[in-house]
Amino acid sequence: MKIKIVLAVLFDIAVTSHVMAQPAKPGLKFGNSGKFRIMQMTDLHYHYEPLKQAAGTLTFIREAVERVKPDLIMVTGDLVVSEDTRRAWQDVAGALNDTKTPWAVVLGNHDSEYELTNRQIIDLLTTYTYCLAENGPDDITGNGNYVLPVLSSSSDGRPAAALYCFDTRKQHNWLRYDQMDWYRQQSRRFAAENGGAMLPSLAFYHVPVPEFNEVIGKPTTFGMQREEVCCPTQNSGSFTAMQENGDVMGIFIGHDHNNNYIGCLHNVCLAYGYKSGRQSYGEIGRGVRVIELHEGERKFTTWLLQLYECNQKENTWTPVPHVEPRYMVTYPDSFN
């Protein structure tokens, strides 16, 4: 009996020491300027070989963060496509973490094609100090359904905006009803804490919804559309759920490497990120999308930055000599 007690005490000490040793995760907060800047990267498609191409993607991460100086890095899926997956994820997560900037991910259709499941991937990522991703509730579809509150710049520290992250899982899958039920519950909770008013919000996931087709060709759609929208053939109504709820101002996705446009439908923006990795297809260059939230308003400004010209087939990777904002728009003014 005494041995059991001693072992139990030692186990408690070990667990407590481990918890105490884990550094606290950084919080997200509007700056004194009333702005909160997100840098969206997408579709890194990282493979640790060949080494030169792999190094190009890791260098891209560091250069982009140094240039944009974001408050949060959001990567919208298909980060790693590689055997020896744990090693590849450690490369990418290490590069993100070394920037000492809070970062989060949603997973894409390729991320779980190798040795690690989505749950195992996020379990690995959460060991990194600056990673804010979570596996999310066990009782809804997918891994990586979570919400990040952005606190007010004032001393009361109340949430002033919300960033919803969803798992779209494999290609041609869609956001499920249980994911939308969870989203509505979170939204109502934030509204109750905000005097009944919905928090200005954004949503991030990987695979586009069919509504992305509806803004193509509109005079208030900005950016490039060089390939068909690769979306589920079944419409689960997730866009309508967000539109009716009234808090989500914009949906930001990845998946289609030759699209980076943004348009607006029923007062909700539909926006692609800018393909960021060197090691897969895409003929419109490599870059990032910058999103800047305005505290206390249903308003954001967003633009694209191209950092490299890239041709994966010809193995070219050329820095852009003059990096400047492209297709800058402000919601809602630019879409009236």
Coordinates of all heavy atoms in Angstrom, one line a residue, residues 219-222 249 262-264 267-269 292 294 297-302 328-336:
P219 N -18.5 42.9 -61.0 CA -17.6 44.1 -61.0 C -16.9 44.4 -59.7 O -15.9 45.1 -59.6 CB -18.6 45.2 -61.4 CG -19.9 44.7 -61.1 CD -19.9 43.2 -61.3
T220 N -17.5 43.8 -58.6 CA -16.9 44.0 -57.3 C -16.1 42.8 -56.8 O -16.0 42.5 -55.6 CB -17.9 44.4 -56.2 OG1 -19.0 43.4 -56.3 CG2 -18.5 45.8 -56.5
T221 N -15.6 42.0 -57.7 CA -14.7 40.9 -57.4 C -13.3 41.2 -57.9 O -13.2 41.6 -59.0 CB -15.2 39.5 -58.1 OG1 -16.5 39.2 -57.5 CG2 -14.2 38.4 -57.8
F222 N -12.4 41.0 -57.0 CA -11.0 41.5 -57.2 C -10.0 40.4 -57.1 O -10.1 39.6 -56.2 CB -10.7 42.7 -56.3 CG -11.7 43.8 -56.2 CD1 -12.7 43.7 -55.3 CD2 -11.6 44.8 -57.1 CE1 -13.7 44.7 -55.3 CE2 -12.5 45.9 -57.1 CZ -13.5 45.8 -56.2
M249 N -18.1 38.1 -41.4 CA -17.9 39.1 -42.5 C -17.2 38.5 -43.7 O -17.5 39.0 -44.8 CB -17.1 40.3 -42.0 CG -17.7 41.0 -40.8 SD -16.6 42.4 -40.3 CE -15.2 41.5 -39.6
I262 N -11.3 37.8 -54.4 CA -12.2 38.0 -53.3 C -13.4 38.7 -53.9 O -13.3 39.6 -54.7 CB -11.6 38.9 -52.2 CG1 -12.6 39.2 -51.1 CG2 -11.0 40.2 -52.7 CD1 -12.0 39.8 -49.8
G263 N -14.6 38.3 -53.5 CA -15.9 38.8 -53.9 C -16.8 38.8 -52.7 O -16.5 38.4 -51.6
C264 N -18.0 39.4 -52.9 CA -19.0 39.5 -51.8 C -20.3 39.0 -52.3 O -20.8 39.3 -53.4 CB -19.0 40.9 -51.3 SG -19.8 41.0 -49.7
N267 N -23.6 40.0 -48.4 CA -22.9 40.7 -47.3 C -21.8 39.9 -46.6 O -21.4 40.2 -45.5 CB -23.9 41.3 -46.3 CG -24.8 42.3 -46.9 OD1 -24.3 43.2 -47.7 ND2 -26.0 42.3 -46.6
V268 N -21.4 38.8 -47.3 CA -20.3 37.9 -46.7 C -19.3 37.8 -47.8 O -19.6 37.4 -49.0 CB -20.8 36.5 -46.3 CG1 -19.6 35.7 -45.8 CG2 -21.9 36.6 -45.3
C269 N -18.0 38.2 -47.5 CA -17.0 38.1 -48.5 C -16.5 36.6 -48.6 O -16.5 35.9 -47.6 CB -15.8 38.9 -48.0 SG -15.9 40.6 -48.5
E292 N -6.7 42.9 -42.2 CA -6.6 43.8 -41.0 C -8.0 44.1 -40.5 O -8.8 44.8 -41.2 CB -5.9 45.1 -41.4 CG -5.2 45.8 -40.3 CD -4.2 46.8 -40.8 OE1 -4.6 47.8 -41.4 OE2 -3.0 46.6 -40.6
H294 N -10.7 46.0 -37.9 CA -10.9 47.3 -37.3 C -11.7 47.1 -36.0 O -12.8 46.7 -36.1 CB -11.5 48.2 -38.3 CG -10.8 48.5 -39.5 ND1 -10.2 49.7 -39.8 CD2 -10.5 47.7 -40.6 CE1 -9.6 49.6 -41.0 NE2 -9.7 48.4 -41.5
E297 N -15.8 47.8 -35.2 CA -16.5 48.0 -36.4 C -16.7 46.6 -37.1 O -15.8 45.7 -37.0 CB -15.8 48.9 -37.4 CG -15.6 50.3 -36.8 CD -14.8 51.2 -37.8 OE1 -15.4 51.6 -38.8 OE2 -13.6 51.4 -37.6
R298 N -17.7 46.5 -37.9 CA -17.8 45.4 -38.8 C -17.1 45.8 -40.1 O -17.7 46.1 -41.1 CB -19.3 45.0 -39.2 CG -20.0 44.3 -38.0 CD -21.4 43.9 -38.5 NE -21.4 43.1 -39.7 CZ -21.1 41.8 -39.7 NH1 -20.8 41.1 -38.6 NH2 -21.1 41.1 -40.9
K299 N -15.8 45.7 -40.0 CA -14.9 46.2 -41.1 C -13.6 45.5 -41.1 O -13.0 45.2 -40.0 CB -14.7 47.7 -40.9 CG -13.9 48.4 -41.9 CD -13.8 49.9 -41.6 CE -12.9 50.6 -42.6 NZ -12.8 52.1 -42.3
F300 N -13.1 45.2 -42.3 CA -11.7 44.8 -42.4 C -11.2 45.2 -43.8 O -12.0 45.5 -44.7 CB -11.6 43.2 -42.3 CG -12.3 42.4 -43.4 CD1 -11.6 42.2 -44.6 CD2 -13.5 41.9 -43.2 CE1 -12.2 41.5 -45.6 CE2 -14.1 41.2 -44.2 CZ -13.5 40.9 -45.4
T301 N -9.9 45.4 -43.8 CA -9.2 45.7 -45.1 C -8.3 44.5 -45.4 O -7.7 43.9 -44.5 CB -8.3 47.0 -44.9 OG1 -9.2 48.1 -44.5 CG2 -7.6 47.3 -46.2
T302 N -8.2 44.2 -46.7 CA -7.4 43.0 -47.1 C -6.7 43.3 -48.4 O -7.2 44.1 -49.3 CB -8.2 41.7 -47.2 OG1 -7.3 40.7 -47.5 CG2 -9.3 41.8 -48.2
M328 N -6.2 45.7 -53.1 CA -6.6 46.1 -51.8 C -8.1 46.5 -51.7 O -8.5 47.3 -52.6 CB -5.8 47.3 -51.3 CG -6.1 47.8 -49.9 SD -5.1 49.1 -49.3 CE -3.6 48.3 -48.9
V329 N -8.8 45.9 -50.8 CA -10.3 46.3 -50.7 C -10.6 46.4 -49.2 O -9.9 45.9 -48.3 CB -11.2 45.2 -51.3 CG1 -11.0 45.1 -52.8 CG2 -10.9 43.8 -50.7
T330 N -11.7 47.1 -48.9 CA -12.2 47.2 -47.6 C -13.7 46.8 -47.5 O -14.5 47.2 -48.4 CB -12.1 48.7 -47.1 OG1 -10.7 49.1 -47.1 CG2 -12.7 48.9 -45.7
Y331 N -13.9 45.9 -46.6 CA -15.3 45.4 -46.4 C -15.9 46.4 -45.3 O -15.3 46.6 -44.3 CB -15.3 44.0 -45.8 CG -16.7 43.5 -45.4 CD1 -17.5 42.9 -46.3 CD2 -17.1 43.7 -44.1 CE1 -18.8 42.4 -45.9 CE2 -18.3 43.3 -43.7 CZ -19.2 42.6 -44.6 OH -20.4 42.2 -44.2
P332 N -17.2 46.9 -45.6 CA -18.0 46.6 -46.7 C -18.0 47.5 -47.9 O -18.6 47.3 -48.9 CB -19.4 46.6 -46.1 CG -19.3 47.7 -45.0 CD -17.9 47.6 -44.5
D333 N -17.2 48.6 -47.7 CA -17.2 49.7 -48.7 C -16.9 49.3 -50.1 O -17.6 49.8 -51.0 CB -16.3 50.9 -48.2 CG -16.6 51.4 -46.9 OD1 -17.7 51.2 -46.4 OD2 -15.8 52.1 -46.3
S334 N -16.0 48.5 -50.3 CA -15.5 48.1 -51.7 C -16.6 47.3 -52.4 O -16.5 47.1 -53.6 CB -14.2 47.4 -51.7 OG -13.2 48.2 -51.1
F335 N -17.5 46.7 -51.7 CA -18.5 45.8 -52.3 C -19.9 46.3 -52.4 O -20.8 45.6 -52.7 CB -18.4 44.5 -51.5 CG -17.1 43.9 -51.3 CD1 -16.3 44.1 -50.2 CD2 -16.5 43.2 -52.4 CE1 -15.0 43.6 -50.1 CE2 -15.2 42.7 -52.3 CZ -14.5 42.9 -51.1
N336 N -20.1 47.6 -52.2 CA -21.4 48.2 -52.3 C -21.8 48.2 -53.8 O -21.0 48.6 -54.6 CB -21.4 49.6 -51.7 CG -21.3 49.6 -50.2 OD1 -21.7 48.6 -49.5 ND2 -20.8 50.6 -49.6

